[in-house]
Amino acid sequence: MSTIQPESLADVYANVKTAYAEYFKAEPQFLASAPGRVNIIGEHIDYNGGMVLPAAIECGMGAAFSPNGNSLVRIWDARYQSLAEIDFSKPMAPEKGSWENYIKGVLAELKVAGVAVKGFDACIYSTIPMGGGLSSSAALEALIATINEAVTGRTLDPVDKSVICQRAEHNYAGVPCGIMDQMAVICSKADHLLLINCKDNSSELVPFTNPNLGILVIDSKVHHSLADGAYKQRRDGCEKIASMFNVDTLGDLTMDQYEALLPKVPVELQPLFRHVMTEIDRTARAVELLRKGNYVAFGKLLEQSHESLRRDYKVSCDELDFIVDTLQPLDGVYGCRMTGGGFGGSTIALVEKSKAESIAAIIRKVYSEKFGQEPGVFLTSPMNGASYQAL
Ligand code: GLA
């Protein structure tokens, strides 16, 4: 029996349908889902206007729902046994630390964007590890925006929808994030990585179809909050460097310019500059290598990306470094790195599927011995972004 297979979407849908019928004493009219995401490479690059390469994953959030004909959004979370009830005809102020902020944020930002909002009753269920750095928050935002598409019958442009969800994150969750997570969970397609140009939010699908390869995700279970300031501090540092050179974002500079400008940057900001510029360069090279099927060289870039995040950007932690250092030399691992904002969360590894179970067994054992708890481990392929269907 597989120990690394995430719960399937079919199971999640079965769960939410049953939970809806029990909770609301009626049959739901629609189903919707929104996946989590990993970032393969291009870390802390979205808000620097460069290219990033995320993918939607097999863990996700499902909903069974029906319009309710009033201005109430009622959401029963069947996994965490919690009800959110929001009247969107009234002002919706965020409350510190509440999961309802993501829902309120999307409803409010839809209204600001001039999109009609309608009431609904929903049961949701998530298989995305909370705090695992796999964008459970972007998934919830995308799910709400997708449910609203179903109940209003108005489909949004996927990039506009992503920007609305990003605004919800900024204004209601207090995280000044880039566009990567929201676009990844909304615009991704199965069997592809999503190459996003964060300068203009355009994107391109990069095929990821080798049947022997998979993405092994390891959740350190060190939970992080990007609202605590360390993320913003990195972002502010990058903006300061960009303003020194009169560019909007560091992504506007070339590698040659970077080399000439590095000595002019205050010493304490040089590591940030180095990470951003070398990561932009690595991401471009990684895409080329992937297109050529050169997984060995591609894996080396994942390794270098982690080193840069660890030493220069300083967003890793002992647990993530331990997972990377353990996996890197193992047979069947092409490359491994932390994924997402960091300070905890998850790592990803490009692995041979046939070796994934044994790699998972090794990391579970040594990680538990060292840190006293088992990491979460699952294997995924790139999946589709958020969608809905009528029942
Ligand atoms: C978080 C943010 C993203 C991105 C990553 C780091 O996930 O939400 O916008 O900046 O961190 O790459």
Side-chain angles (χ1 to χ4, degrees), residues 108-323:
E109 296 296 344
L110 282 166
K111 285 169 72 174
V112 170
V115 178
V117 173
K118 286 197 171 163
F120 60 85
D121 295 336
C123 258
I124 64 171
Y125 182 90
S126 173
T127 62
I128 308 171
M130 288 265 276
L134 301 172
S135 287
S136 52
S137 59
L140 179 54
E141 291 153 9
L143 190 68
I144 302 303
T146 304
I147 293 175
N148 194 61
E149 289 179 314
V151 296
T152 59
R154 178 177 164 191
T155 303
L156 298 173
D157 168 81
V159 176
D160 293 346
K161 184 173 163 186
S162 305
V163 170
I164 287 169
C165 292
Q166 182 194 23
R167 287 197 190 119
E169 186 87 38
H170 286 187
N171 300 332
Y172 280 74
V175 180
C177 63
I179 195 66
M180 174 173 77
D181 301 348
Q182 289 75 16
M183 278 192 70
V185 306
I186 289 168
C187 307
S188 285
K189 292 278 172 276
D191 300 326
H192 293 83
L193 308 180
L194 186 72
L195 180 63
I196 309 171
N197 179 347
C198 302
K199 186 78 194 156
D200 59 7
N201 294 349
S202 59
S203 64
E204 193 186 325
L205 294 167
V206 179
F208 185 92
T209 47
N210 186 319
N212 303 322
L213 297 182
I215 302 162
L216 194 68
V217 182
I218 298 154
D219 174 12
S220 68
K221 306 239 175 105
V222 177
H223 290 173
H224 67 298
S225 164
L226 296 184
D228 71 2
Y231 179 91
K232 182 172 182 302
Q233 200 190 13
R234 304 296 186 284
R235 185 170 179 157
D236 288 348
C238 294
E239 282 168 5
K240 198 164 161 192
I241 305 168
S243 72
M244 280 180 61
F245 303 125
N246 294 317
V247 287
D248 288 343
T249 55
L250 294 180
D252 291 335
L253 298 172
T254 63
M255 275 311 264
D256 287 345
Q257 286 174 315
Y258 151 70
E259 270 152 32
L261 294 173
L262 183 63
K264 302 198 171 110
V265 169
V267 177
E268 68 280 9
L269 293 178
Q270 286 186 6
L272 291 189
F273 195 23
R274 187 158 52 233
H275 168 71
V276 171
M277 297 309 294
T278 58
E279 183 77 352
I280 287 176
D281 182 56
R282 273 188 293 275
T283 306
R285 286 189 285 139
V287 173
E288 287 319 306
L289 290 167
L290 197 62
R291 288 200 162 110
K292 290 186 189 134
N294 188 342
Y295 304 117
V296 173
F298 178 83
K300 287 272 169 293
L301 292 178
L302 299 188
E303 205 175 318
Q304 288 167 20
S305 168
H306 186 79
E307 276 309 299
S308 179
L309 290 157
R310 173 185 347 205
R311 312 258 177 235
D312 279 344
Y313 221 63
K314 298 191 173 52
V315 291
S316 187
C317 62
D318 288 350
E319 290 83 351
L320 293 172
D321 294 342
F322 179 81
I323 298 170

Side-chain angles (χ1 to χ4, degrees), residues 3-23:
T3 65
I4 51 175
Q5 180 67 45
E7 233 173 299
S8 74
L9 186 57
D11 287 348
V12 170
Y13 278 160
N15 262 341
V16 287
K17 269 161 86 176
T18 310
Y20 184 98
E22 278 169 11
Y23 197 84

